[in-house]
Amino acid sequence: EWAGKQITVDVVLTPQNQKFLRSDMDKPSFQKNRKTLVDFLKPYARVGVTYQDWADRYPSAFFLDHCHLTPEGNEQYAKDLTGLIAKGKP
């Protein structure tokens, strides 16, 4: 339906603070989950769905915890998302 209407869809994995990975979510599991998302969304690329993995995009100083951004982090995230929407690219 999206392709028929020439609508593109950008799926973005939100930034994550890698310093908060612990035993309940270790780095190998997190990397496996990221790869699973890539593999799952790959077939949809032909119909205009793109996947952006932004998990590593920002330094730890931009986070309050594992996923909540500081005001500066939110400002940068908003700018980056705006750029993605405006240009259709990351």
Side-chain angles (χ1 to χ4, degrees):
E1 190 173 324
W2 295 328
K5 294 180 181 178
Q6 298 180 335
I7 297 172
T8 60
V9 176
D10 295 307
V11 177
V12 177
L13 175 60
T14 177
Q16 303 290 311
N17 187 350
Q18 304 294 313
K19 289 189 175 184
F20 272 76
L21 292 179
R22 299 184 183 143
S23 61
D24 58 332
M25 182 47 124
D26 57 33
K27 286 189 180 196
S29 296
F30 186 62
Q31 296 305 331
K32 182 181 175 190
N33 288 341
R34 290 168 77 179
K35 184 177 178 335
T36 298
L37 283 169
V38 169
D39 293 342
F40 175 78
L41 291 166
K42 195 177 291 184
Y44 297 98
R46 71 181 187 285
V47 293
V49 177
T50 63
Y51 174 65
Q52 306 287 326
D53 183 336
W54 288 7
D56 297 326
R57 194 169 186 100
Y58 305 122
S60 292
F62 275 24
F63 292 90
L64 296 170
D65 56 18
H66 69 290
C67 67
H68 296 98
L69 296 164
T70 62
E72 296 82 10
N74 274 308
E75 184 176 342
Q76 186 60 54
Y77 190 40
K79 286 178 184 177
D80 291 346
L81 286 172
T82 301
L84 176 67
I85 293 166
K87 298 177 185 174
K89 307 179 199 181

